[in-house]
Amino acid sequence: NSSVPTRRARMQSLYLLAGIALAVTVSGCYSLRAGSGLPDHIRTFAVLPFDNETTRFEITEEVRQELEDKLPRALGVRSAGEDLADAVVQGTITRYDVTAPLFRPGGSGDRAEVIEREVQIAVRVEIVDRIGNVILWDDANLNVRGQYLDATEDEDVGRAEAIELLVQRIIDGAQSNW
């Protein structure tokens, strides 16, 4: 029967058209922008120096510098001065502690041997849309930790790791809402 191949070809064509229609419908409902989770009108960004409630004053500049280095590229925006920026990231460093979570207990009368130390940083942070005058993302208690080996590394290693993680968490938060 010569109608069988024709019928099969028509059914395949219908399935193909249905698939294309579905793809067009779905792509019309969802759009993806590479590199940015921010609203379309956010094209420039400023990083304000964080307030600092700790005694470690150098951390303010270290956090600001890491944010300025990583945020624009990760979010697909350009850096701008505060007065020209479409959005700003601002916050407060609320805690900076160094602890010893990994140690070997000493014998009777001996001191414990610290193996690993940990830098803990806590911040309140928000990203503000200055055009729409709304908070795009915030975290009132963002905590990060960076470790370093006590015998071979210093606190700077743990602090750098904690700051890098802090910036990544802010980037992830900014991208999570859209």
Side-chain angles (χ1 to χ4, degrees):
N1 187 347
S2 65
S3 67
V4 172
T6 306
R7 177 186 256 168
R8 182 173 290 146
R10 269 189 282 172
M11 290 304 289
Q12 288 175 342
S13 294
L14 284 173
Y15 288 136
L16 179 62
L17 287 173
I20 291 171
L22 180 62
V24 168
T25 301
V26 169
S27 69
C29 295
Y30 299 98
S31 64
L32 299 175
R33 259 180 34 172
S36 178
L38 298 171
D40 288 336
H41 65 272
I42 304 292
R43 292 193 172 95
T44 58
F45 218 89
V47 176
L48 305 183
F50 280 33
D51 293 332
N52 189 343
E53 297 176 351
T54 75
T55 58
R56 303 301 301 260
F57 299 111
E58 72 278 5
I59 195 170
T60 302
E61 179 58 23
E62 292 171 357
V63 167
R64 186 195 62 75
Q65 187 63 52
E66 188 76 9
L67 282 165
E68 283 185 350
D69 288 348
K70 301 280 171 48
L71 271 178
R73 189 176 4 190
L75 299 179
V77 296
R78 292 184 327 273
S79 292
E82 179 182 357
D83 54 335
L84 300 173
D86 299 328
V88 296
V89 62
Q90 57 194 18
T92 302
I93 302 165
T94 58
R95 191 180 85 223
Y96 182 99
D97 292 319
V98 178
T99 61
L102 186 58
F103 59 92
R104 188 174 295 127
S108 61
D110 292 336
R111 295 174 42 138
E113 176 190 1
V114 174
I115 298 169
E116 183 180 84
R117 293 195 186 267
E118 186 173 80
V119 173
Q120 300 175 6
I121 301 173
V123 300
R124 285 188 307 269
V125 62
E126 62 185 13
I127 298 174
V128 179
D129 176 345
R130 298 191 63 204
I131 294 171
N133 198 26
V134 295
I135 296 173
L136 298 172
W137 177 81
D138 70 333
D139 191 326
N141 194 25
L142 179 56
N143 291 285
V144 293
R145 298 167 187 220
Q147 290 83 24
Y148 63 97
L149 298 174
D150 193 60
T152 59
E153 300 172 321
D154 63 16
E155 186 179 329
D156 293 346
V157 171
R159 184 171 60 244
E161 182 181 313
I163 291 171
E164 186 175 316
L165 182 56
L166 174 71
V167 169
Q168 187 58 55
R169 293 280 245 349
I170 292 169
I171 290 168
D172 293 345
Q175 293 175 334
S176 70
N177 287 340
W178 299 278

